[in-house]
Amino acid sequence: MLERSSRLKSDAQDRIDQFDERVIIERCKAGETSAFDELVRRYEKRVFNCALRITGNYNDAADVAQEAFIRAFHSIQTFRGDAKFATWIYRIVTNVYLDERKRSKAHRTTSLDEAIELEENSVTRQIEDGAPTPDEVVENKERLRALQKAINSLPDYQRIIVTLYHTQHRSYEEIAEILKLPIGTVKSRLNRARLALAEILESEPELFG
Amino acid sequence: MKCGKVRDLFSSFAENAMDGKLSARVEEHLAQCELCRRAYDRFRTTLAMLDSIPEVDPPAGFHESVMAEVERIKRTTPAPVKWWRVDWQHVFTIRVPARAVAAAAVVVFLFAVAFQFSPVRTAVANWFTFQKPTNAPIQYIDEYAPPAPLPWNPRTSKQELLINIDSQKPGQYLLRLGTNNSSPLNFELKVGRTKYDGSVQKGQSSTIEIPAPPAGSVVVARILWRMGEQDRLQWIFLPSKLKARGKSENAILKDFAVYDMLRLISRQHGVAIIASGDLSKKIPYTRTDHASPDEAFYESLSKVGMRAEGVAESVYEVRPTR
């Protein structure tokens, strides 16, 4: 079955991190730019990757991620700390994305160049890791491209839930809190999204056969 | 158990998150139904793939770009001084030199008296009440431009003032005002401290020369025109130079009045804008990412019940939605 627990840190470490983070956030509220710098450093990778999977392309992801941090900076005073900062920032990311979507009448387009850029990036990573053979690299690249395309075709909320669960490793409870949805709704939408993805990916048996 | 129901349970089944009895029924169904078994295999493959999506690094310079924006915001919005941080004791124990205060009061009084009778007062009053008709010099400068058909026609009313913006001559704009109405239409046009009064009617337009502002700024012409009892105010935003359409830049608008936004868009996109309606309305947070002027207008204006329309190359019209 799914090995999610291995990704989760131990409770104690988690509590230390959270305390540390509360101190940083207090410093941000007091107007220390260096504290916000630290906060961005801690979350930029997560925020960017979340935005990348939700928007489906590199450029929009950078814009959404930056905008999310700017909104966080504007409203850090209103962050009360009863939720985790991660939950709060993910909520901002999804709100920024949904606002942008509402704003742009035109539908999202994923240009081929952007998709390639994205893949090159992950390809270099994989080569640096040293493990896969060139054939596997090509195949992984193709798979990732097909997978992202399939994710892009999901409705907004399903795509966001898939991203938060599978790439950001958020629990059902946390996703419900981020999106302000009942847990049951989160679960059923995730199931529907997974079924839809499986359906789409079945049409490419050479990659996923 | 039906296939549809089983598939609804795939996630819970894969995550071992259902009670043993239900789980056994799903297993039983999978053992019998070839289609669902294949679907479940696919489902599991999909989960594995989703879990193995690699993380990528943010683009180079991302961190710096976020922090540069944060620094910029910090510089432009001064931190509010909180009342509880003020040293109140100090405020009430400040020693004030009584003679200096008395002297200052006398100076202010004398200045106010002098101001009442000085020509400066008239000038200041004029500046603030430009809507009052005055006897400022009327400048018809028709000789600058040969009469030609106006390039576009507002569709709303026959009485409408027609405005033509000509930027052929570098460093200046020629605004030609005209109307399709046969009775005269009076107007006052004000640019900075310069005012033009005039009237137009069908076949008799009036051309006014407006120097283009220096690079990076915008000049705003205000036109008050009257037809019988009806008054209407229009603004024309003119950038230093009109750019071809399609050039795009970023802008983040927050708590801007429509007026400020139009100035910004005129400057950034190099477009002229003819506007009417309540320009003091505040636009809620809007961000225009590499948007064309059309898009930026459309989005931000729709939030305050106004709309924008391209009426000619690099010229837009903004008005309230009817």
Side-chain angles (χ1 to χ4, degrees):
Chain A
M1 293 295 124
L2 298 180
E3 291 290 331
R4 290 176 63 77
S5 56
S6 64
R7 293 168 178 150
L8 300 173
K9 286 184 192 161
S10 77
D11 268 6
Q13 185 60 44
D14 211 35
R15 272 203 295 276
I16 293 169
D17 284 356
Q18 275 189 41
F19 176 76
D20 199 17
E21 200 163 88
R22 270 210 293 278
V23 174
I24 296 176
I25 290 164
E26 283 312 313
R27 283 169 52 211
C28 287
K29 287 186 178 180
E32 264 186 60
T33 314
S34 63
F36 193 76
D37 189 292
E38 170 63 24
L39 211 51
V40 174
R41 209 170 285 287
R42 282 184 178 214
Y43 281 92
E44 61 192 4
K45 196 162 180 178
R46 277 186 260 182
V47 165
F48 179 76
N49 276 277
C50 178
L52 177 60
R53 297 307 158 197
I54 294 176
T55 60
N57 76 72
Y58 227 64
N59 288 342
D60 290 351
D63 286 350
V64 166
Q66 165 147 354
E67 178 62 22
F69 280 121
I70 298 304
R71 274 197 205 179
F73 176 76
H74 275 300
S75 46
I76 190 85
Q77 299 295 346
T78 66
F79 176 68
R80 287 189 314 243
D82 25 356
K84 279 194 210 160
F85 183 78
T87 307
W88 191 66
I89 192 85
Y90 281 125
R91 184 182 304 154
I92 295 179
V93 174
T94 53
N95 284 345
V96 167
Y97 169 73
L98 292 172
D99 287 354
E100 293 280 306
R101 280 276 285 176
K102 234 185 279 167
R103 206 183 63 81
S104 65
K105 285 167 288 148
H107 267 272
R108 216 159 19 85
T109 54
T110 309
S111 94
L112 202 57
D113 286 350
E114 281 162 353
I116 285 165
E117 188 188 352
L118 184 156
E119 286 148 14
E120 295 299 340
N121 203 300
S122 55
V123 168
T124 25
R125 279 169 47 81
Q126 285 161 348
I127 290 170
E128 278 162 8
D129 288 346
T133 65
D135 278 356
E136 282 167 345
V137 169
V138 171
E139 200 182 281
N140 284 346
K141 183 175 142 181
E142 283 301 307
R143 278 188 181 195
L144 184 60
R145 183 228 275 272
L147 183 58
Q148 183 67 56
K149 208 174 134 196
I151 294 173
N152 289 353
S153 71
L154 294 174
D156 282 339
Y157 268 94
Q158 287 189 16
R159 189 166 58 248
I160 291 168
I161 293 173
V162 163
T163 301
L164 290 172
Y165 189 91
H166 285 286
T167 74
Q168 302 301 310
H169 318 306
R170 298 295 112 190
S171 64
Y172 286 127
E173 289 76 12
E174 224 179 320
I175 297 173
E177 206 181 330
I178 292 168
L179 300 177
K180 296 192 168 150
L181 289 174
I183 289 192
T185 310
V186 171
K187 285 186 177 171
S188 65
R189 285 192 187 173
L190 181 61
N191 192 60
R192 238 174 291 147
R194 287 161 163 179
L195 285 170
L197 288 175
E199 203 70 42
I200 297 167
L201 298 180
E202 196 202 8
S203 58
E204 310 214 25
E206 65 282 8
L207 289 174
F208 310 106
Chain B
M1 202 182 264
K2 287 192 175 151
C3 295
K5 174 73 186 158
V6 169
R7 290 178 193 202
D8 283 347
L9 294 170
F10 271 3
S11 285
S12 308
F13 186 66
E15 287 160 10
N16 262 345
M18 54 170 66
D19 70 64
K21 217 167 134 190
L22 193 58
S23 175
R25 284 176 65 196
V26 173
E27 252 169 67
E28 192 187 324
H29 180 93
L30 291 181
Q32 290 162 1
C33 175
E34 166 80 24
L35 273 178
C36 281
R37 200 162 55 242
R38 288 226 315 262
Y40 184 64
D41 281 346
R42 263 197 331 263
F43 190 83
R44 291 296 308 274
T45 314
T46 308
L47 295 193
M49 285 180 55
L50 287 171
D51 281 332
S52 64
I53 291 177
E55 265 205 323
V56 299
D57 286 325
F62 176 78
H63 185 89
E64 290 69 26
S65 149
V66 171
M67 290 315 295
E69 183 61 16
V70 165
E71 291 286 354
R72 196 192 62 76
I73 293 166
K74 269 196 108 162
R75 268 200 315 277
T76 49
T77 44
V81 178
K82 292 183 175 141
W83 59 267
W84 63 87
R85 297 245 169 98
V86 172
D87 183 356
W88 288 105
Q89 204 175 357
H90 179 75
V91 169
F92 290 117
T93 54
I94 287 176
R95 289 156 62 93
V96 186
R99 275 189 205 166
V101 172
V106 170
V107 168
V108 169
F109 177 73
L110 290 178
F111 185 79
V113 170
F115 184 74
Q116 278 298 317
F117 301 104
S118 82
V120 178
R121 183 178 181 273
T122 332
V124 171
N126 281 346
W127 169 245
F128 283 110
T129 56
F130 101 91
Q131 300 205 357
K132 263 193 215 159
T134 62
N135 298 325
I138 296 175
Q139 299 192 23
Y140 291 102
I141 38 180
D142 257 348
E143 65 268 30
Y144 282 111
L150 291 161
W152 53 274
N153 293 317
R155 284 148 289 263
T156 45
S157 154
K158 272 192 215 154
Q159 303 172 351
E160 194 103 21
L161 186 71
L162 303 174
I163 301 168
N164 174 25
I165 300 169
D166 179 353
S167 64
Q168 306 269 323
K169 225 164 145 184
Q172 72 169 36
Y173 289 98
L174 292 179
L175 283 192
R176 196 164 67 255
L177 308 179
T179 181
N180 284 335
N181 205 40
S182 49
S183 52
L185 194 65
N186 298 317
F187 71 87
E188 280 173 14
L189 187 149
K190 192 164 176 182
V191 183
R193 283 156 193 259
T194 318
K195 187 173 358 180
Y196 310 93
D197 287 358
S199 94
V200 290
Q201 63 192 69
K202 195 169 184 174
Q204 190 189 326
S205 64
S206 180
T207 306
I208 293 153
E209 181 188 338
I210 296 179
S217 59
V218 170
V219 68
V220 185
R222 290 173 290 185
I223 309 175
L224 176 73
W225 57 273
R226 295 203 184 87
M227 174 68 205
E229 292 298 295
Q230 194 191 9
D231 272 6
R232 208 175 141 191
L233 195 53
Q234 279 183 312
W235 289 261
I236 303 181
F237 296 77
L238 298 165
S240 59
K241 206 174 161 202
L242 291 181
K243 287 186 205 163
R245 271 166 73 176
K247 176 100 174 67
S248 64
E249 282 177 61
N250 288 347
I252 293 181
L253 307 170
K254 198 189 171 207
D255 280 343
F256 267 53
V258 173
Y259 183 89
D260 297 324
M261 184 197 71
L262 298 183
R263 272 179 71 103
L264 187 83
I265 288 180
S266 170
R267 178 166 62 82
Q268 284 206 336
H269 294 282
V271 293
I273 301 166
I274 300 165
S276 54
D278 181 3
L279 301 196
S280 64
K281 279 185 186 167
K282 283 268 165 77
I283 296 174
Y285 186 95
T286 305
R287 182 180 160 135
T288 66
D289 283 310
H290 296 287
S292 67
D294 313 61
E295 259 183 85
F297 278 153
Y298 178 85
E299 277 306 318
S300 16
L301 291 174
S302 66
K303 292 182 180 175
V304 289
M306 299 178 89
R307 68 192 175 89
E309 225 177 309
V311 288
E313 176 89 0
S314 299
V315 179
Y316 288 79
E317 192 190 11
V318 169
R319 61 172 72 198
T321 316
R322 294 272 157 87

